[in-house]
Amino acid sequence: MRYSEKALIPFFMVTEDGTLSLANLVNLVQQVSERQLAGAASQTEMVKRYNIGWVITQSQIEITRMPRAEEHVTLWTEATSYNRLLCYRDYGVLDEQGNQLVIVHSTWVMMDLGTRKIVPIIDEIVEGFGAKKLTKVERLPRLPRFEDPEGERKYWVRYFDIDTNHHVNNVHYFDWMQDALGYDWMRTHKLVSANIKYEREVEPGTQLTSQYKVVREGGKTETYHQVRVGDTVNATAHLQWA
Amino acid sequence: MRYSEKALIPFFMVTEDGTLSLANLVNLVQQVSERQLAGAASQTEMVKRYNIGWVITQSQIEITRMPRAEEHVTLWTEATSYNRLLCYRDYGVLDEQGNQLVIVHSTWVMMDLGTRKIVPIIDEIVEGFGAKKLTKVERLPRLPRFEDPEGERKYWVRYFDIDTNHHVNNVHYFDWMQDALGYDWMRTHKLVSANIKYEREVEPGTQLTSQYKVVREGGKTETYHQVRVGDTVNATAHLQWA
């Protein structure tokens, strides 16, 4: 059950090169799934009844071309399948000709809002979106940790990074990861894909360290990232660049 | 000549309390004037011919109520008048019943994109929007500087703060100013008005200091802010809170 909305990319969501930032791409597509959920009265009622919330655990993003400022696009989303613990949701961005500019695969877990613990997926909730039950667990590509960063920057979690659930909006990890690479890197490389794993939330008011490693092999340029607070790794990512 | 657009406030633009952040408010309304300019073919042509750009110098924002996530609003703008050096532009946000939620008065100068110097307003450009010529200079309320901050925080200008003109998007000053007040302040105060003066741009890659002073007088709570890089004051602001 695919849900879509048309959108016009605002000026203030693009970077220096005139294309949508990765963080804003994810803001825009996740907004569409929030609206799919909010639009289904039965969903809102069930989510309240079970007192659960959705938490993203990983996303794998493939970019053919990032949309430009003032470009008309279609944003779509679909909860494709689920198993005992994970729900798989895809997102995409189409241009006016219907070409797929970006595709996002993501995995979500259900959290009990009372205990704040992960709970098994409640069939009744996801079946309303046409997601098919799987017996096996499909995993998105794994991400390595590393102990020898090539560079790092420290960031404070700011007041405006916090959403209405009193959590850091997950898109800020992308800003911390990409910004740590520096202006020169960002000005001379184009993002081709991103795979991010959210492991543990960064708390409001903490200072985090965004570390990276560059790997150049077989004509490919890749960066590995981790956001950590002390010894805890909060998120890891693998980005590919052209 | 008033120009308006309908908008639906996205989840990701609101703060913890579910209402639009000041920075995103300004992003949204300025987007509407960008579209008014872009929509007038004669404007685009003239701006190119004269090689000029618009630079904001001050804005005075009065907030009756900040729009909420998923609220349907109308955003409007109008270039009301101009004199030799300044153009006056108003913005507003209306709710579905037509109540004015926010009103913004702002002043703009014209910059020669070649020399990067301020030039006198070119009548031909602003008259297309119905702005009336004034002989006197109307000033928005003045802002004091101060040498005895009550608190301060340091921020680096990040890659994603830079817009397609290679300048810091002016809304980031609000984030730096408000964030410096801290979580406790932001969680216990509601913004009523903001008056900001942009004096000198913060350069990409620099570290800035966001300083504030709190004044409580006659039942009013006010904060004064300045963003500085070394001895240079880049922006000053006066915020009122309830």
mmCIF file of all heavy atoms in Angstrom, chain A residues 8 10-12 15-16 27 31 34-35 70 157-160 162 164 166 178-179 183 205, chain B residues 8 10-12 15-16 27 31 34-35 70 157-160 162 164 166 178-179 183 205:
data_model
loop_
_atom_site.group_PDB
_atom_site.id
_atom_site.type_symbol
_atom_site.label_atom_id
_atom_site.label_comp_id
_atom_site.label_asym_id
_atom_site.label_seq_id
_atom_site.Cartn_x
_atom_site.Cartn_y
_atom_site.Cartn_z
ATOM 1 N N LEU A 8 7.345 20.527 -3.270
ATOM 2 C CA LEU A 8 8.209 21.485 -3.970
ATOM 3 C C LEU A 8 9.375 21.720 -3.005
ATOM 4 O O LEU A 8 9.159 22.073 -1.848
ATOM 5 C CB LEU A 8 7.394 22.767 -4.206
ATOM 6 C CG LEU A 8 8.055 23.940 -4.899
ATOM 7 C CD1 LEU A 8 8.618 23.546 -6.259
ATOM 8 C CD2 LEU A 8 7.021 25.073 -5.085
ATOM 9 N N PRO A 10 12.004 23.378 -0.967
ATOM 10 C CA PRO A 10 12.269 24.783 -0.614
ATOM 11 C C PRO A 10 13.763 25.142 -0.712
ATOM 12 O O PRO A 10 14.620 24.290 -0.504
ATOM 13 C CB PRO A 10 11.827 24.884 0.846
ATOM 14 C CG PRO A 10 11.116 23.615 1.172
ATOM 15 C CD PRO A 10 11.615 22.588 0.207
ATOM 16 N N PHE A 11 14.009 26.405 -0.998
ATOM 17 C CA PHE A 11 15.385 26.945 -1.045
ATOM 18 C C PHE A 11 16.186 26.622 0.217
ATOM 19 O O PHE A 11 17.359 26.303 0.168
ATOM 20 C CB PHE A 11 15.356 28.487 -1.124
ATOM 21 C CG PHE A 11 14.840 29.057 -2.400
ATOM 22 C CD1 PHE A 11 13.564 29.609 -2.474
ATOM 23 C CD2 PHE A 11 15.641 29.087 -3.538
ATOM 24 C CE1 PHE A 11 13.085 30.163 -3.650
ATOM 25 C CE2 PHE A 11 15.170 29.649 -4.718
ATOM 26 C CZ PHE A 11 13.887 30.179 -4.780
ATOM 27 N N PHE A 12 15.508 26.757 1.376
ATOM 28 C CA PHE A 12 16.268 26.677 2.631
ATOM 29 C C PHE A 12 16.642 25.243 3.013
ATOM 30 O O PHE A 12 17.306 25.034 4.014
ATOM 31 C CB PHE A 12 15.507 27.367 3.770
ATOM 32 C CG PHE A 12 14.138 26.814 4.050
ATOM 33 C CD1 PHE A 12 13.994 25.693 4.861
ATOM 34 C CD2 PHE A 12 13.007 27.405 3.505
ATOM 35 C CE1 PHE A 12 12.730 25.183 5.124
ATOM 36 C CE2 PHE A 12 11.744 26.909 3.766
ATOM 37 C CZ PHE A 12 11.601 25.791 4.579
ATOM 38 N N THR A 15 21.761 22.657 0.022
ATOM 39 C CA THR A 15 23.117 23.030 0.431
ATOM 40 C C THR A 15 23.694 23.999 -0.599
ATOM 41 O O THR A 15 23.012 24.385 -1.549
ATOM 42 C CB THR A 15 24.012 21.784 0.526
ATOM 43 O OG1 THR A 15 24.119 21.216 -0.768
ATOM 44 C CG2 THR A 15 23.420 20.748 1.478
ATOM 45 N N GLU A 16 24.946 24.341 -0.399
ATOM 46 C CA GLU A 16 25.649 25.269 -1.293
ATOM 47 C C GLU A 16 25.496 24.932 -2.767
ATOM 48 O O GLU A 16 25.450 25.823 -3.604
ATOM 49 C CB GLU A 16 27.145 25.198 -0.978
ATOM 50 C CG GLU A 16 27.608 26.286 -0.078
ATOM 51 C CD GLU A 16 29.113 26.379 -0.090
ATOM 52 O OE1 GLU A 16 29.791 25.336 -0.126
ATOM 53 O OE2 GLU A 16 29.609 27.512 -0.059
ATOM 54 N N ASN A 27 14.117 14.073 6.427
ATOM 55 C CA ASN A 27 12.989 14.801 7.025
ATOM 56 C C ASN A 27 11.761 14.735 6.116
ATOM 57 O O ASN A 27 10.657 14.440 6.575
ATOM 58 C CB ASN A 27 13.351 16.278 7.215
ATOM 59 C CG ASN A 27 13.961 16.568 8.577
ATOM 60 O OD1 ASN A 27 13.692 15.879 9.556
ATOM 61 N ND2 ASN A 27 14.773 17.614 8.640
ATOM 62 N N GLN A 31 8.359 12.540 6.881
ATOM 63 C CA GLN A 31 7.139 13.330 7.026
ATOM 64 C C GLN A 31 5.974 12.642 6.305
ATOM 65 O O GLN A 31 4.839 12.637 6.793
ATOM 66 C CB GLN A 31 7.412 14.714 6.412
ATOM 67 C CG GLN A 31 6.216 15.581 6.213
ATOM 68 C CD GLN A 31 5.809 16.295 7.490
ATOM 69 O OE1 GLN A 31 6.437 16.174 8.539
ATOM 70 N NE2 GLN A 31 4.728 17.017 7.408
ATOM 71 N N GLU A 34 4.779 9.761 8.357
ATOM 72 C CA GLU A 34 4.018 10.304 9.506
ATOM 73 C C GLU A 34 2.598 10.638 9.042
ATOM 74 O O GLU A 34 1.628 10.402 9.745
ATOM 75 C CB GLU A 34 4.643 11.617 10.016
ATOM 76 C CG GLU A 34 6.027 11.485 10.602
ATOM 77 C CD GLU A 34 6.000 11.368 12.121
ATOM 78 O OE1 GLU A 34 4.921 11.127 12.683
ATOM 79 O OE2 GLU A 34 7.081 11.513 12.722
ATOM 80 N N ARG A 35 2.497 11.198 7.843
ATOM 81 C CA ARG A 35 1.169 11.584 7.348
ATOM 82 C C ARG A 35 0.346 10.366 6.951
ATOM 83 O O ARG A 35 -0.862 10.360 7.122
ATOM 84 C CB ARG A 35 1.306 12.576 6.186
ATOM 85 C CG ARG A 35 1.808 13.920 6.687
ATOM 86 C CD ARG A 35 1.492 15.063 5.754
ATOM 87 N NE ARG A 35 1.928 16.315 6.368
ATOM 88 C CZ ARG A 35 2.621 17.265 5.735
ATOM 89 N NH1 ARG A 35 2.941 17.134 4.466
ATOM 90 N NH2 ARG A 35 2.967 18.363 6.382
ATOM 91 N N GLU A 70 13.391 24.226 -5.547
ATOM 92 C CA GLU A 70 12.240 24.572 -6.370
ATOM 93 C C GLU A 70 11.875 23.495 -7.389
ATOM 94 O O GLU A 70 11.103 23.757 -8.302
ATOM 95 C CB GLU A 70 12.422 25.941 -7.048
ATOM 96 C CG GLU A 70 12.521 27.103 -6.067
ATOM 97 C CD GLU A 70 11.275 27.233 -5.182
ATOM 98 O OE1 GLU A 70 10.230 27.701 -5.657
ATOM 99 O OE2 GLU A 70 11.362 26.844 -4.011
ATOM 100 N N VAL A 157 24.534 18.580 21.554
ATOM 101 C CA VAL A 157 23.145 18.437 21.138
ATOM 102 C C VAL A 157 22.445 19.741 21.510
ATOM 103 O O VAL A 157 22.520 20.189 22.657
ATOM 104 C CB VAL A 157 22.450 17.248 21.846
ATOM 105 C CG1 VAL A 157 20.987 17.160 21.424
ATOM 106 C CG2 VAL A 157 23.175 15.955 21.515
ATOM 107 N N ARG A 158 21.822 20.365 20.524
ATOM 108 C CA ARG A 158 21.191 21.664 20.738
ATOM 109 C C ARG A 158 19.696 21.517 21.035
ATOM 110 O O ARG A 158 19.077 20.527 20.660
ATOM 111 C CB ARG A 158 21.342 22.530 19.473
ATOM 112 C CG ARG A 158 22.790 22.822 19.134
ATOM 113 C CD ARG A 158 22.828 23.697 17.882
ATOM 114 N NE ARG A 158 24.202 23.925 17.442
ATOM 115 C CZ ARG A 158 24.515 24.577 16.324
ATOM 116 N NH1 ARG A 158 23.553 25.054 15.538
ATOM 117 N NH2 ARG A 158 25.778 24.755 15.997
ATOM 118 N N TYR A 159 19.142 22.559 21.617
ATOM 119 C CA TYR A 159 17.709 22.565 21.921
ATOM 120 C C TYR A 159 16.885 22.241 20.678
ATOM 121 O O TYR A 159 15.925 21.482 20.726
ATOM 122 C CB TYR A 159 17.295 23.917 22.505
ATOM 123 C CG TYR A 159 15.803 23.987 22.742
ATOM 124 C CD1 TYR A 159 15.217 23.303 23.806
ATOM 125 C CD2 TYR A 159 14.969 24.683 21.869
ATOM 126 C CE1 TYR A 159 13.848 23.321 24.008
ATOM 127 C CE2 TYR A 159 13.601 24.705 22.061
ATOM 128 C CZ TYR A 159 13.044 24.019 23.121
ATOM 129 O OH TYR A 159 11.690 24.033 23.305
ATOM 130 N N PHE A 160 17.276 22.810 19.543
ATOM 131 C CA PHE A 160 16.469 22.646 18.332
ATOM 132 C C PHE A 160 16.684 21.305 17.633
ATOM 133 O O PHE A 160 16.070 21.031 16.610
ATOM 134 C CB PHE A 160 16.690 23.826 17.366
ATOM 135 C CG PHE A 160 16.199 25.112 17.953
ATOM 136 C CD1 PHE A 160 17.074 26.050 18.478
ATOM 137 C CD2 PHE A 160 14.835 25.363 18.034
ATOM 138 C CE1 PHE A 160 16.608 27.225 19.050
ATOM 139 C CE2 PHE A 160 14.356 26.535 18.613
ATOM 140 C CZ PHE A 160 15.246 27.468 19.122
ATOM 141 N N ILE A 162 15.926 18.620 19.208
ATOM 142 C CA ILE A 162 14.995 17.767 19.950
ATOM 143 C C ILE A 162 13.593 17.874 19.351
ATOM 144 O O ILE A 162 13.131 18.967 19.060
ATOM 145 C CB ILE A 162 14.935 18.227 21.430
ATOM 146 C CG1 ILE A 162 16.344 18.361 22.026
ATOM 147 C CG2 ILE A 162 14.064 17.298 22.271
ATOM 148 C CD1 ILE A 162 17.123 17.104 22.085
ATOM 149 N N THR A 164 9.270 16.599 19.261
ATOM 150 C CA THR A 164 8.162 16.645 20.228
ATOM 151 C C THR A 164 8.123 15.419 21.148
ATOM 152 O O THR A 164 7.433 15.422 22.153
ATOM 153 C CB THR A 164 6.792 16.746 19.507
ATOM 154 O OG1 THR A 164 6.730 15.719 18.522
ATOM 155 C CG2 THR A 164 6.637 18.086 18.821
ATOM 156 N N HIS A 166 10.723 14.500 22.703
ATOM 157 C CA HIS A 166 11.863 14.787 23.583
ATOM 158 C C HIS A 166 13.089 13.950 23.223
ATOM 159 O O HIS A 166 13.914 13.631 24.078
ATOM 160 C CB HIS A 166 11.481 14.606 25.063
ATOM 161 C CG HIS A 166 10.170 15.253 25.390
ATOM 162 N ND1 HIS A 166 10.019 16.627 25.419
ATOM 163 C CD2 HIS A 166 8.938 14.737 25.626
ATOM 164 C CE1 HIS A 166 8.753 16.911 25.693
ATOM 165 N NE2 HIS A 166 8.067 15.779 25.804
ATOM 166 N N GLN A 178 28.442 14.328 8.281
ATOM 167 C CA GLN A 178 28.943 14.972 7.073
ATOM 168 C C GLN A 178 29.743 16.237 7.394
ATOM 169 O O GLN A 178 30.777 16.496 6.799
ATOM 170 C CB GLN A 178 27.784 15.313 6.136
ATOM 171 C CG GLN A 178 27.141 14.069 5.531
ATOM 172 C CD GLN A 178 25.985 14.453 4.614
ATOM 173 O OE1 GLN A 178 24.925 14.866 5.075
ATOM 174 N NE2 GLN A 178 26.197 14.351 3.329
ATOM 175 N N ASP A 179 29.270 17.019 8.357
ATOM 176 C CA ASP A 179 29.969 18.255 8.706
ATOM 177 C C ASP A 179 31.393 17.974 9.188
ATOM 178 O O ASP A 179 32.308 18.747 8.922
ATOM 179 C CB ASP A 179 29.189 19.030 9.769
ATOM 180 C CG ASP A 179 29.822 20.387 10.060
ATOM 181 O OD1 ASP A 179 29.825 21.235 9.136
ATOM 182 O OD2 ASP A 179 30.333 20.602 11.177
ATOM 183 N N TYR A 183 34.464 21.472 5.079
ATOM 184 C CA TYR A 183 33.987 22.183 3.888
ATOM 185 C C TYR A 183 34.623 21.654 2.607
ATOM 186 O O TYR A 183 33.972 21.473 1.604
ATOM 187 C CB TYR A 183 34.330 23.677 3.957
ATOM 188 C CG TYR A 183 33.519 24.456 4.941
ATOM 189 C CD1 TYR A 183 33.960 24.649 6.242
ATOM 190 C CD2 TYR A 183 32.304 25.034 4.563
ATOM 191 C CE1 TYR A 183 33.219 25.386 7.156
ATOM 192 C CE2 TYR A 183 31.555 25.776 5.471
ATOM 193 C CZ TYR A 183 32.020 25.949 6.759
ATOM 194 O OH TYR A 183 31.292 26.668 7.653
ATOM 195 N N GLY A 205 21.476 17.673 25.591
ATOM 196 C CA GLY A 205 22.429 18.292 26.514
ATOM 197 C C GLY A 205 23.800 17.648 26.564
ATOM 198 O O GLY A 205 24.682 18.129 27.263
ATOM 199 N N LEU B 8 1.401 23.668 5.018
ATOM 200 C CA LEU B 8 1.080 22.733 6.097
ATOM 201 C C LEU B 8 2.389 22.608 6.884
ATOM 202 O O LEU B 8 3.423 22.276 6.310
ATOM 203 C CB LEU B 8 0.648 21.404 5.463
ATOM 204 C CG LEU B 8 0.299 20.247 6.372
ATOM 205 C CD1 LEU B 8 -0.805 20.612 7.357
ATOM 206 C CD2 LEU B 8 -0.160 19.043 5.522
ATOM 207 N N PRO B 10 5.281 21.183 8.734
ATOM 208 C CA PRO B 10 5.778 19.809 8.912
ATOM 209 C C PRO B 10 6.204 19.525 10.359
ATOM 210 O O PRO B 10 6.649 20.429 11.063
ATOM 211 C CB PRO B 10 7.005 19.741 8.007
ATOM 212 C CG PRO B 10 6.990 20.968 7.182
ATOM 213 C CD PRO B 10 6.206 21.992 7.925
ATOM 214 N N PHE B 11 6.093 18.273 10.749
ATOM 215 C CA PHE B 11 6.542 17.821 12.075
ATOM 216 C C PHE B 11 7.984 18.241 12.376
ATOM 217 O O PHE B 11 8.303 18.625 13.484
ATOM 218 C CB PHE B 11 6.544 16.271 12.145
ATOM 219 C CG PHE B 11 5.202 15.636 12.118
ATOM 220 C CD1 PHE B 11 4.731 15.006 10.968
ATOM 221 C CD2 PHE B 11 4.409 15.615 13.251
ATOM 222 C CE1 PHE B 11 3.489 14.384 10.946
ATOM 223 C CE2 PHE B 11 3.166 14.995 13.236
ATOM 224 C CZ PHE B 11 2.707 14.385 12.082
ATOM 225 N N PHE B 12 8.847 18.107 11.363
ATOM 226 C CA PHE B 12 10.276 18.281 11.642
ATOM 227 C C PHE B 12 10.676 19.743 11.800
ATOM 228 O O PHE B 12 11.833 20.035 12.077
ATOM 229 C CB PHE B 12 11.131 17.584 10.573
ATOM 230 C CG PHE B 12 10.909 18.076 9.173
ATOM 231 C CD1 PHE B 12 11.550 19.207 8.710
ATOM 232 C CD2 PHE B 12 10.052 17.396 8.314
ATOM 233 C CE1 PHE B 12 11.345 19.653 7.414
ATOM 234 C CE2 PHE B 12 9.836 17.825 7.017
ATOM 235 C CZ PHE B 12 10.493 18.967 6.566
ATOM 236 N N THR B 15 9.465 22.498 17.542
ATOM 237 C CA THR B 15 10.329 22.218 18.682
ATOM 238 C C THR B 15 9.598 21.249 19.615
ATOM 239 O O THR B 15 8.497 20.795 19.321
ATOM 240 C CB THR B 15 10.647 23.516 19.448
ATOM 241 O OG1 THR B 15 9.425 24.047 19.953
ATOM 242 C CG2 THR B 15 11.285 24.544 18.530
ATOM 243 N N GLU B 16 10.227 20.983 20.744
ATOM 244 C CA GLU B 16 9.676 20.069 21.756
ATOM 245 C C GLU B 16 8.222 20.333 22.099
ATOM 246 O O GLU B 16 7.477 19.415 22.384
ATOM 247 C CB GLU B 16 10.478 20.242 23.039
ATOM 248 C CG GLU B 16 11.547 19.231 23.215
ATOM 249 C CD GLU B 16 12.043 19.238 24.653
ATOM 250 O OE1 GLU B 16 12.161 20.327 25.245
ATOM 251 O OE2 GLU B 16 12.322 18.156 25.161
ATOM 252 N N ASN B 27 12.407 30.886 7.840
ATOM 253 C CA ASN B 27 12.629 30.120 6.607
ATOM 254 C C ASN B 27 11.358 30.083 5.756
ATOM 255 O O ASN B 27 11.406 30.339 4.549
ATOM 256 C CB ASN B 27 13.014 28.669 6.935
ATOM 257 C CG ASN B 27 14.520 28.469 7.060
ATOM 258 O OD1 ASN B 27 15.311 29.178 6.449
ATOM 259 N ND2 ASN B 27 14.906 27.489 7.858
ATOM 260 N N GLN B 31 10.803 32.110 2.219
ATOM 261 C CA GLN B 31 10.583 31.263 1.047
ATOM 262 C C GLN B 31 9.469 31.857 0.168
ATOM 263 O O GLN B 31 9.537 31.824 -1.064
ATOM 264 C CB GLN B 31 10.173 29.876 1.557
ATOM 265 C CG GLN B 31 9.638 28.927 0.536
ATOM 266 C CD GLN B 31 10.745 28.246 -0.232
ATOM 267 O OE1 GLN B 31 11.929 28.438 0.006
ATOM 268 N NE2 GLN B 31 10.358 27.454 -1.200
ATOM 269 N N GLU B 34 10.828 34.750 -1.754
ATOM 270 C CA GLU B 34 11.681 34.215 -2.836
ATOM 271 C C GLU B 34 10.795 33.789 -4.015
ATOM 272 O O GLU B 34 11.124 34.006 -5.172
ATOM 273 C CB GLU B 34 12.460 32.971 -2.375
ATOM 274 C CG GLU B 34 13.466 33.208 -1.281
ATOM 275 C CD GLU B 34 14.881 33.386 -1.815
ATOM 276 O OE1 GLU B 34 15.048 33.558 -3.038
ATOM 277 O OE2 GLU B 34 15.814 33.348 -0.990
ATOM 278 N N ARG B 35 9.670 33.168 -3.670
ATOM 279 C CA ARG B 35 8.775 32.694 -4.736
ATOM 280 C C ARG B 35 8.059 33.851 -5.410
ATOM 281 O O ARG B 35 7.794 33.799 -6.611
ATOM 282 C CB ARG B 35 7.787 31.668 -4.188
ATOM 283 C CG ARG B 35 8.510 30.358 -3.872
ATOM 284 C CD ARG B 35 7.572 29.176 -3.772
ATOM 285 N NE ARG B 35 8.366 27.969 -3.514
ATOM 286 C CZ ARG B 35 8.060 27.033 -2.613
ATOM 287 N NH1 ARG B 35 6.966 27.154 -1.879
ATOM 288 N NH2 ARG B 35 8.827 25.982 -2.456
ATOM 289 N N GLU B 70 1.509 20.236 11.622
ATOM 290 C CA GLU B 70 0.351 19.787 10.842
ATOM 291 C C GLU B 70 -0.790 20.799 10.801
ATOM 292 O O GLU B 70 -1.899 20.459 10.394
ATOM 293 C CB GLU B 70 -0.148 18.408 11.309
ATOM 294 C CG GLU B 70 0.877 17.300 11.105
ATOM 295 C CD GLU B 70 1.288 17.140 9.641
ATOM 296 O OE1 GLU B 70 0.523 16.573 8.834
ATOM 297 O OE2 GLU B 70 2.402 17.610 9.308
ATOM 298 N N VAL B 157 30.394 27.600 12.675
ATOM 299 C CA VAL B 157 29.523 27.649 11.503
ATOM 300 C C VAL B 157 29.700 26.316 10.782
ATOM 301 O O VAL B 157 30.823 25.923 10.465
ATOM 302 C CB VAL B 157 29.884 28.823 10.566
ATOM 303 C CG1 VAL B 157 28.993 28.804 9.332
ATOM 304 C CG2 VAL B 157 29.743 30.145 11.308
ATOM 305 N N ARG B 158 28.600 25.619 10.543
ATOM 306 C CA ARG B 158 28.669 24.290 9.935
ATOM 307 C C ARG B 158 28.432 24.362 8.429
ATOM 308 O O ARG B 158 27.812 25.307 7.932
ATOM 309 C CB ARG B 158 27.584 23.388 10.547
ATOM 310 C CG ARG B 158 27.760 23.164 12.029
ATOM 311 C CD ARG B 158 26.649 22.260 12.524
ATOM 312 N NE ARG B 158 26.715 22.079 13.974
ATOM 313 C CZ ARG B 158 25.797 21.410 14.669
ATOM 314 N NH1 ARG B 158 24.760 20.856 14.043
ATOM 315 N NH2 ARG B 158 25.910 21.280 15.971
ATOM 316 N N TYR B 159 28.870 23.318 7.760
ATOM 317 C CA TYR B 159 28.674 23.258 6.301
ATOM 318 C C TYR B 159 27.209 23.471 5.935
ATOM 319 O O TYR B 159 26.889 24.190 4.991
ATOM 320 C CB TYR B 159 29.164 21.903 5.761
ATOM 321 C CG TYR B 159 28.882 21.760 4.289
ATOM 322 C CD1 TYR B 159 29.652 22.445 3.348
ATOM 323 C CD2 TYR B 159 27.819 20.979 3.826
ATOM 324 C CE1 TYR B 159 29.370 22.358 1.999
ATOM 325 C CE2 TYR B 159 27.534 20.892 2.476
ATOM 326 C CZ TYR B 159 28.319 21.580 1.571
ATOM 327 O OH TYR B 159 28.026 21.495 0.230
ATOM 328 N N PHE B 160 26.304 22.883 6.715
ATOM 329 C CA PHE B 160 24.885 22.947 6.356
ATOM 330 C C PHE B 160 24.217 24.278 6.747
ATOM 331 O O PHE B 160 23.035 24.468 6.504
ATOM 332 C CB PHE B 160 24.120 21.748 6.934
ATOM 333 C CG PHE B 160 24.575 20.460 6.318
ATOM 334 C CD1 PHE B 160 25.406 19.596 7.010
ATOM 335 C CD2 PHE B 160 24.214 20.142 5.016
ATOM 336 C CE1 PHE B 160 25.853 18.419 6.423
ATOM 337 C CE2 PHE B 160 24.653 18.974 4.421
ATOM 338 C CZ PHE B 160 25.478 18.107 5.130
ATOM 339 N N ILE B 162 25.294 26.974 5.374
ATOM 340 C CA ILE B 162 25.624 27.803 4.211
ATOM 341 C C ILE B 162 24.596 27.585 3.107
ATOM 342 O O ILE B 162 24.227 26.463 2.813
ATOM 343 C CB ILE B 162 27.032 27.406 3.676
ATOM 344 C CG1 ILE B 162 28.069 27.381 4.807
ATOM 345 C CG2 ILE B 162 27.483 28.328 2.544
ATOM 346 C CD1 ILE B 162 28.320 28.675 5.477
ATOM 347 N N THR B 164 22.987 28.615 -0.971
ATOM 348 C CA THR B 164 23.519 28.538 -2.342
ATOM 349 C C THR B 164 24.299 29.798 -2.745
ATOM 350 O O THR B 164 25.011 29.782 -3.733
ATOM 351 C CB THR B 164 22.383 28.334 -3.378
ATOM 352 O OG1 THR B 164 21.378 29.320 -3.141
ATOM 353 C CG2 THR B 164 21.770 26.961 -3.238
ATOM 354 N N HIS B 166 26.591 30.937 -0.853
ATOM 355 C CA HIS B 166 27.821 30.751 -0.071
ATOM 356 C C HIS B 166 27.843 31.634 1.170
ATOM 357 O O HIS B 166 28.907 32.002 1.672
ATOM 358 C CB HIS B 166 29.067 30.973 -0.942
ATOM 359 C CG HIS B 166 28.977 30.258 -2.250
ATOM 360 N ND1 HIS B 166 29.001 28.886 -2.353
ATOM 361 C CD2 HIS B 166 28.780 30.726 -3.508
ATOM 362 C CE1 HIS B 166 28.847 28.538 -3.623
ATOM 363 N NE2 HIS B 166 28.708 29.642 -4.344
ATOM 364 N N GLN B 178 18.988 31.531 20.698
ATOM 365 C CA GLN B 178 18.061 30.861 21.605
ATOM 366 C C GLN B 178 18.708 29.660 22.292
ATOM 367 O O GLN B 178 18.509 29.440 23.480
ATOM 368 C CB GLN B 178 16.810 30.420 20.841
ATOM 369 C CG GLN B 178 15.962 31.603 20.379
ATOM 370 C CD GLN B 178 14.737 31.110 19.619
ATOM 371 O OE1 GLN B 178 14.838 30.649 18.493
ATOM 372 N NE2 GLN B 178 13.584 31.196 20.242
ATOM 373 N N ASP B 179 19.500 28.898 21.548
ATOM 374 C CA ASP B 179 20.133 27.717 22.142
ATOM 375 C C ASP B 179 21.051 28.102 23.301
ATOM 376 O O ASP B 179 21.149 27.369 24.287
ATOM 377 C CB ASP B 179 20.913 26.931 21.079
ATOM 378 C CG ASP B 179 21.466 25.626 21.630
ATOM 379 O OD1 ASP B 179 20.650 24.753 21.988
ATOM 380 O OD2 ASP B 179 22.703 25.489 21.736
ATOM 381 N N TYR B 183 18.419 24.616 27.734
ATOM 382 C CA TYR B 183 17.173 23.837 27.701
ATOM 383 C C TYR B 183 16.156 24.359 28.708
ATOM 384 O O TYR B 183 14.979 24.466 28.418
ATOM 385 C CB TYR B 183 17.442 22.372 28.069
ATOM 386 C CG TYR B 183 18.140 21.590 27.007
ATOM 387 C CD1 TYR B 183 19.517 21.498 26.983
ATOM 388 C CD2 TYR B 183 17.409 20.919 26.023
ATOM 389 C CE1 TYR B 183 20.167 20.759 26.002
ATOM 390 C CE2 TYR B 183 18.051 20.180 25.046
ATOM 391 C CZ TYR B 183 19.428 20.110 25.040
ATOM 392 O OH TYR B 183 20.072 19.393 24.081
ATOM 393 N N GLY B 205 33.100 28.507 8.387
ATOM 394 C CA GLY B 205 34.323 27.979 9.005
ATOM 395 C C GLY B 205 34.794 28.706 10.249
ATOM 396 O O GLY B 205 35.785 28.307 10.852
#
